[in-house]
Amino acid sequence: MNQLVKELERRDFPRVRRRLPCSLLIGGRCHPATVRDLSANGFFVETDADLRRGNGVIVTVSAPDGARFLLETYVPRNPTLARCTPYRVQTGVGLQVEDPPECYLRWVEKFGS
């Protein structure tokens, strides 16, 4: 990893790149989404749901190993604009997990190794 990338990567918790199906419960409505990367205290989800800074979101994540988590999250900053990839446009938002349960923390640690 070059020095610039190391300097830019200042997250407290390392990210694990995974693609996992999830559901977002926002204001009583359920929205399909996909986790793109995750860490012990948050994750980035690809979604078309309209989210704003401060919104509370209940997330249900289903993992390939059969684990399933119901997590209380919130939007800590304004959502990112659409990002272009070579194949399509992605929209999404980073979510921060409020008081993650121990089983989730162990699962993320295992998933990242």
Side-chain angles (χ1 to χ4, degrees):
M1 182 181 305
N2 68 40
Q3 188 61 34
L4 177 60
V5 172
K6 286 180 185 177
E7 288 297 317
L8 291 174
E9 184 59 52
R10 295 184 180 168
R11 294 181 174 114
D12 292 334
F13 299 93
R15 295 281 174 158
V16 177
R17 291 199 178 277
R18 294 285 190 250
R19 186 176 173 86
L20 302 170
C22 68
S23 296
L24 310 178
L25 182 61
I26 307 161
R29 294 189 62 207
C30 192
H31 303 269
T34 302
V35 171
R36 300 298 293 185
D37 67 50
L38 55 104
S39 75
N41 74 333
F43 36 83
F44 183 86
V45 294
E46 186 177 309
T47 182
D48 292 329
D50 185 27
L51 291 166
R52 306 236 187 278
R53 183 179 183 186
N55 282 145
V57 182
I58 303 295
V59 180
T60 304
V61 179
S62 300
D65 65 1
R68 192 173 176 145
F69 300 97
L70 183 69
L71 303 163
E72 292 182 40
T73 70
Y74 68 95
V75 182
R77 57 185 80 51
N78 288 325
T80 60
L81 298 174
R83 295 187 318 217
C84 292
T85 66
Y87 304 105
R88 63 192 194 113
V89 174
Q90 283 183 336
T91 57
V93 62
L95 297 174
Q96 187 159 342
V97 179
E98 293 188 35
D99 195 26
E102 283 297 319
C103 60
Y104 173 75
L105 296 175
R106 286 191 304 272
W107 178 76
V108 169
E109 185 176 323
K110 179 181 96 174
F111 217 69
S113 52

